[in-house]
Amino acid sequence: MLVFCLFFVFMTGIHASSGQSVQRVIGTVGEPFTFNARVINIGFLIKDNDNIAQVINGEFSDLNFGSFRGRVTWDRSTGYFSITQLNTQDSGEYRVEATGGSVSDTTVFQLTVYNKVSTPTVIADKETCIAQCSVANGREVTLSWNRDIRTSNSLSNPLTLSLDIRGTHEQYSCTASNPVGSEQVSVTTPESCRQSNVGPIVGGVFGCLTVLGIGAALLYWRKHKGKGTTSTPEDNGARGSLKEGEQK
């Protein structure tokens, strides 16, 4: 009977744990992270079923477990556990179990730790008028230009994104970002690329106007030349009178 009761309590605990909601949180490499679940008198910080720190009768004990040695703290005033000097290996599921008398509470966190995003590099080619932005790739890193909504998040390393900078815009910005931060670099459009499309357009318009002008002049000349060689009735009568006078 005792075994059955213990088994029932164990299965009830598993069922309660599986039904709990999970807080999805993020952290940054090298920075601390605090679990906002209060422990006052008795409680534990557990990662992947390993107890890494505990509070017993209001006294904190860092259990120096593996890579967490010396990095777990507990704030007596807030009751919060914290991990300092995060690294990407700290990602995973954590549970804060707090017990007060006959009441216990468990809060589950799914922590993902990201590296700080690197500052991108931008190079503008004066001949092709193409600007290329690149950055060291990492988890969920994206690149974008401020001129349009294009982004790149391929698996290449480094991550690159190109942009045609021909035109009148003088400056563009490339932004590298991930869930914990962003870095931005601006590029100035080379002088040779700012008006690269204006010359051909003006030349084409001028050429069209020239052809139209020459055509109009030719039509005008042909029209008036034809009028000058056409005989009128008055001219024919005058010529007839002149011939009669010569015959007499």
Side-chain angles (χ1 to χ4, degrees), residues 55-104:
V55 174
I56 302 296
N57 296 326
E59 295 297 326
F60 170 71
S61 297
D62 181 356
L63 300 180
N64 294 320
F65 181 83
S67 62
F68 294 99
R69 183 183 302 272
R71 295 196 297 126
V72 183
T73 63
W74 176 69
D75 189 325
R76 184 182 299 273
S77 62
T78 63
Y80 293 161
F81 287 111
S82 296
I83 299 176
T84 62
Q85 295 295 315
L86 286 176
N87 58 68
T88 55
Q89 286 72 35
D90 292 335
S91 297
E93 183 181 281
Y94 293 80
R95 299 197 315 275
V96 176
E97 296 183 354
T99 301
S102 59
V103 179
S104 62

Side-chain angles (χ1 to χ4, degrees), residues 24-28 90-92 110-114 139-140 180:
R24 300 190 179 278
V25 293
I26 59 177
T28 305
D90 292 335
S91 297
Q110 183 65 44
L111 173 64
T112 304
V113 181
Y114 295 88
R139 188 172 190 172
E140 297 182 41
V180 294

Side-chain angles (χ1 to χ4, degrees), residues 207-222:
C208 290
L209 291 176
T210 301
V211 171
L212 290 174
I214 294 174
L218 287 173
L219 289 174
Y220 180 82
W221 178 76
R222 291 182 63 182

